[in-house]
Amino acid sequence: MRRLTLALDAMGGDFGPAVTVPAALQALVSYPQLELLLVGNPAAIHSLLVKTDSVLLERLTVIPAESVITSDAKPSQAIRASRGTSMRVALELIRDGRAQACVSAGNTGALMGLAKLVLKPLDGIERPALMVVLPHKKQGKTVVLDLGANVACDGAMLAQFAVMGSVMAEHIVGVTNPRVALLNIGEEETKGLDPIQHAAVLLRDVQSINYIGYLEANELLTGKTDVLVCDGFVGNVTLKTMEGVIRVFLSLLKSSGESGRQGWLMQWVKRWMKRRLMRQFGQLNPDQYNGACLIGLRGTVIKSHGAANQRAFTAAIEQAMQAVERQIPERIAARLDAVLPKSD
Amino acid sequence: MRRLTLALDAMGGDFGPAVTVPAALQALVSYPQLELLLVGNPAAIHSLLVKTDSVLLERLTVIPAESVITSDAKPSQAIRASRGTSMRVALELIRDGRAQACVSAGNTGALMGLAKLVLKPLDGIERPALMVVLPHKKQGKTVVLDLGANVACDGAMLAQFAVMGSVMAEHIVGVTNPRVALLNIGEEETKGLDPIQHAAVLLRDVQSINYIGYLEANELLTGKTDVLVCDGFVGNVTLKTMEGVIRVFLSLLKSSGESGRQGWLMQWVKRWMKRRLMRQFGQLNPDQYNGACLIGLRGTVIKSHGAANQRAFTAAIEQAMQAVERQIPERIAARLDAVLPKSD
């Protein structure tokens, strides 16, 4: 069995070690090939390990880090003062070859900036992209990127995202010859911004990418594509719009002090509806889905939701394992090398 | 009682005169001050007026137009070949002072392009913007613009949209000192694209605008602002994302052949839930809300949804009446004149 070592930013997220340490232990129990480096305040981490089986502890190492980047810190300032923080040390463990991937629930902007700084982009990639896998109503999944790593993108960058997304859809979602679309405000060729039109021209020439054209944002959940590519500004707005609408819908399903016979029925109806929604679209609920993947770097970085609970943080660890096992960075590098001219 | 004359593109939309003519008659019955110019194929229109009361017909004039811009036509081509189309003739009636506003359910891109061409922008406005009023969960409403009239916008344009949106929130929604926010991917000052940051600088200096800063897309329906400003690409993506998510949710509520006692209960639950959603957010359903307003021109243009039924098209007519009665173009012009330096 091949060993697999991940670095965890134990201090990141709203709950820090209280969530990350139990999640780490849960993952160690489930996956005997897993080895974890917990980066953070040793006292805080050790206090949560007192009752842990010593056999499990053999696969767990605490790496001391003096400080933490808070979730409300300004990314640029946080990055300048990042030396010795749990997030940065965790990323440096990948750079130094001690870990194969890293998981953090910390400050998103700082994580993206630091990851770019500490781990270098793959050859052929100008900038890494943040990616999520969304469920769609045909029971499949759609890879969506970029979600905010790059506010402005040129056509070459969008084409690189398309290649990376295609590799992810093939090796993470398991789709053969995945369809790739560019997010635009209409389906005609002349629609939208210049970078999108330029990316379309580039992608039409790439034989190994199943480019299907433009899709509009109302097709996000309809399963018309396996990969949807956009710049980070638009991706962020799209995902947050979706989150906002879903939160409003779920808030309608909260019980609101109904009483008596009819009240009981109302509560039952709301619970039923909520279960139904959760079953099909639970992963769209920002409290439930977890693990955006920063791809395009020499090493895998998983961004867990800051509010992740133990189960959700374990899911992010599993996502990191999957990315390592399926050799995502290597496959992206190989595909890029084969298909895309370097952008100028 | 002051006369109010609107031009209707009778041929636009998925159903053409079959919807627009009955909607026009309904509006004439409801509003005795209203006079309508129905632009389109005279035979098609007259055939729907056979049984109409002659008193009503005194306030209805059929303006012949030879051709129609189809809803799937490419806007640029449609505009080049637009002479004599019902949409263009309807807009020319405003330009020539025969109508005060125009309503069309036709091709959105062509309508925006033609409106800019035929009606000129107000002084101080570089480009008109497409605006909708969305309900939010605190029972109020938020004015959102631009929704696709301008794919790329500089800071001055965004600031102009903010001023126009503020006038709309005050005079259409009825909010005193409306809060105005810029849509961005974070709330810190340094976030986002240059035009947004530039617009923020401009808006902070405008005393008469209650500028509250950046808002993220997950706040779209939470009522934190009365006006939300973005460029047309982002606005279009935001609105379509919302539509897509809502359609998926509503599709979960469709009855799916349940039978027997439990099936009956399921159907009842779904119907109850749907009514509940519709009551609070019916206007978010793309089949229900109607009438995006193209503002910033010398004259008011209302874009009805192409799939609008009679009731929805009547609502679009009412929106046009409201814009004329509240002198929206004049108020926008006055406000712009008072607050904004002309952009260079």
Side-chain angles (χ1 to χ4, degrees):
Chain A
M1 197 167 45
R2 211 162 133 212
R3 273 255 170 282
L4 199 158
T5 309
L6 304 183
L8 306 188
D9 170 8
M11 311 307 284
D14 298 352
F15 312 109
V19 155
T20 59
V21 174
L25 295 174
Q26 192 184 328
L28 287 172
V29 169
S30 305
Y31 304 100
Q33 77 275 34
L34 186 63
E35 205 155 298
L36 291 176
L37 310 177
L38 265 66
V39 186
N41 180 314
I45 297 171
H46 280 300
S47 73
L48 291 157
L49 297 173
V50 181
K51 292 183 187 161
T52 308
D53 186 338
S54 62
V55 179
L56 220 54
L57 288 180
E58 284 172 15
R59 292 187 281 123
L60 186 155
T61 310
V62 176
I63 309 280
E66 296 146 32
S67 52
V68 185
I69 295 175
T70 57
S71 58
D72 58 353
K74 216 171 131 179
S76 53
Q77 286 173 1
I79 291 169
R80 273 197 297 277
S82 62
R83 204 157 296 276
T85 60
S86 57
M87 187 189 281
R88 179 160 185 154
V89 172
L91 290 165
E92 287 169 344
L93 289 168
I94 308 182
R95 183 198 61 193
D96 300 341
R98 292 183 61 192
Q100 292 156 285
C102 155
V103 181
S104 175
N107 187 310
T108 310
L111 183 63
M112 292 189 296
L114 269 178
K116 271 185 262 185
L117 194 75
V118 173
L119 309 171
K120 298 292 175 234
L122 293 166
D123 283 340
I125 291 288
E126 285 164 272
R127 308 277 293 273
L130 199 62
M131 183 216 84
V132 288
V133 177
L134 294 180
H136 61 64
K137 69 176 185 186
K138 287 181 181 150
Q139 266 77 41
K141 285 175 177 178
T142 302
V143 167
V144 185
L145 74 171
D146 175 31
L147 295 168
N150 308 282
V151 163
C153 297
D154 62 22
M157 284 166 72
L158 292 174
Q160 290 160 15
F161 297 168
V163 173
M164 296 199 286
S166 187
V167 171
M168 295 305 280
E170 209 171 319
H171 295 285
I172 295 290
V173 182
V175 182
T176 317
N177 196 26
R179 297 159 298 172
V180 176
L182 291 163
L183 181 60
N184 205 339
I185 59 170
E187 300 194 3
E188 308 93 64
E189 276 187 32
T190 53
K191 278 280 182 184
L193 302 160
D194 290 344
I196 299 173
Q197 295 183 13
H198 181 217
V201 171
L202 293 175
L203 288 171
R204 266 195 295 271
D205 281 346
V206 179
Q207 292 286 320
S208 65
I209 296 285
N210 182 10
Y211 173 65
I212 60 166
Y214 299 147
L215 272 188
E216 295 190 66
N218 50 351
E219 305 286 2
L220 188 66
L221 304 176
T222 57
K224 280 205 181 162
T225 188
D226 302 301
V227 181
L228 190 60
V229 175
C230 53
D231 70 47
F233 189 94
V234 167
N236 186 289
V237 166
T238 303
L239 202 73
K240 293 230 169 105
T241 299
M242 203 179 69
E243 285 182 17
V245 174
I246 290 170
R247 275 194 198 282
V248 164
F249 271 68
L250 291 179
S251 74
L252 291 181
L253 297 172
K254 280 214 183 101
S255 65
S256 45
E258 292 96 347
S259 63
R261 185 172 284 177
Q262 224 204 330
W264 174 85
L265 190 61
M266 290 292 196
Q267 282 191 18
W268 181 85
V269 165
K270 286 178 177 182
R271 272 206 303 273
W272 176 85
M273 201 55 221
K274 201 161 179 172
R275 265 205 310 278
R276 176 83 202 265
L277 287 172
M278 282 303 181
R279 200 169 53 220
Q280 191 156 6
F281 287 98
Q283 288 169 76
L284 293 183
N285 182 344
D287 294 338
Q288 302 293 319
Y289 75 74
N290 203 28
C293 194
L294 191 63
I295 55 176
L297 295 169
R298 300 171 193 279
T300 297
V301 178
I302 302 290
K303 166 69 181 92
S304 160
H305 205 281
N309 57 19
Q310 182 184 331
R311 195 182 59 69
F313 197 79
T314 306
I317 294 174
E318 289 167 345
Q319 213 186 319
M321 292 177 63
Q322 201 182 37
V324 172
E325 280 164 352
R326 304 203 180 161
Q327 303 180 291
I328 293 304
E330 295 79 0
R331 285 187 201 275
I332 289 175
R335 181 73 71 91
L336 276 167
D337 205 42
V339 300
L340 272 189
K342 285 184 191 159
S343 77
D344 34 52
Chain B
M1 197 167 46
R2 210 162 135 214
R3 272 255 170 282
L4 199 159
T5 308
L6 304 182
L8 306 188
D9 170 9
M11 311 306 284
D14 299 352
F15 312 109
V19 155
T20 58
V21 174
L25 295 175
Q26 192 183 328
L28 287 173
V29 169
S30 305
Y31 305 100
Q33 77 275 36
L34 186 63
E35 205 156 298
L36 292 176
L37 310 177
L38 266 66
V39 186
N41 180 315
I45 297 171
H46 280 300
S47 73
L48 292 157
L49 297 174
V50 181
K51 293 183 187 161
T52 308
D53 186 339
S54 61
V55 179
L56 220 54
L57 289 180
E58 283 171 16
R59 292 187 281 124
L60 186 156
T61 309
V62 176
I63 309 281
E66 296 145 32
S67 52
V68 184
I69 295 175
T70 58
S71 58
D72 58 353
K74 216 171 131 178
S76 53
Q77 286 173 1
I79 291 169
R80 273 197 296 278
S82 63
R83 204 157 295 276
T85 59
S86 57
M87 186 188 282
R88 178 160 187 153
V89 172
L91 290 165
E92 287 169 346
L93 289 168
I94 308 181
R95 183 197 61 193
D96 300 342
R98 293 183 60 191
Q100 292 156 283
C102 155
V103 181
S104 174
N107 187 309
T108 309
L111 182 64
M112 292 189 296
L114 269 178
K116 271 185 263 185
L117 194 75
V118 173
L119 309 171
K120 298 293 176 233
L122 293 166
D123 283 341
I125 290 289
E126 285 164 272
R127 308 277 292 273
L130 199 62
M131 182 217 84
V132 288
V133 177
L134 294 180
H136 62 64
K137 70 177 184 186
K138 287 181 182 151
Q139 266 76 40
K141 285 176 177 178
T142 303
V143 167
V144 185
L145 74 170
D146 175 33
L147 295 169
N150 308 283
V151 164
C153 297
D154 62 23
M157 283 166 72
L158 292 174
Q160 290 160 16
F161 297 168
V163 173
M164 296 199 286
S166 187
V167 171
M168 295 304 280
E170 208 171 319
H171 295 285
I172 295 290
V173 182
V175 182
T176 316
N177 196 25
R179 297 159 297 172
V180 176
L182 291 163
L183 181 60
N184 205 340
I185 59 170
E187 300 194 3
E188 308 93 65
E189 275 187 34
T190 54
K191 278 279 181 183
L193 302 160
D194 290 343
I196 299 173
Q197 295 183 12
H198 181 218
V201 171
L202 293 175
L203 288 172
R204 266 195 295 272
D205 281 346
V206 180
Q207 292 286 321
S208 65
I209 296 286
N210 182 9
Y211 174 65
I212 60 166
Y214 299 148
L215 272 188
E216 296 190 67
N218 50 351
E219 305 285 2
L220 188 66
L221 304 176
T222 58
K224 280 205 182 162
T225 188
D226 302 301
V227 181
L228 190 61
V229 175
C230 54
D231 70 47
F233 190 94
V234 168
N236 186 289
V237 166
T238 303
L239 202 73
K240 293 230 169 105
T241 299
M242 204 179 69
E243 285 183 16
V245 174
I246 290 169
R247 274 194 198 283
V248 164
F249 271 68
L250 290 179
S251 75
L252 292 181
L253 297 172
K254 280 214 182 100
S255 65
S256 45
E258 292 97 346
S259 63
R261 185 173 285 177
Q262 224 204 329
W264 174 86
L265 190 61
M266 289 292 195
Q267 281 191 19
W268 181 85
V269 166
K270 287 178 177 182
R271 272 206 303 272
W272 176 85
M273 201 55 221
K274 200 162 180 172
R275 264 205 311 278
R276 176 83 202 265
L277 287 172
M278 282 303 181
R279 199 168 53 219
Q280 191 155 7
F281 287 99
Q283 287 168 78
L284 293 183
N285 181 345
D287 294 338
Q288 302 293 320
Y289 74 75
N290 203 28
C293 193
L294 191 63
I295 55 176
L297 296 169
R298 300 171 193 280
T300 297
V301 178
I302 302 290
K303 165 69 180 94
S304 159
H305 204 280
N309 57 19
Q310 181 184 330
R311 194 182 59 70
F313 197 79
T314 307
I317 294 173
E318 289 167 346
Q319 214 187 318
M321 291 176 64
Q322 201 181 38
V324 172
E325 280 165 351
R326 305 205 179 160
Q327 303 180 291
I328 293 304
E330 295 79 0
R331 285 187 202 274
I332 289 175
R335 180 73 72 92
L336 276 167
D337 206 41
V339 300
L340 271 188
K342 285 186 190 158
S343 77
D344 34 52

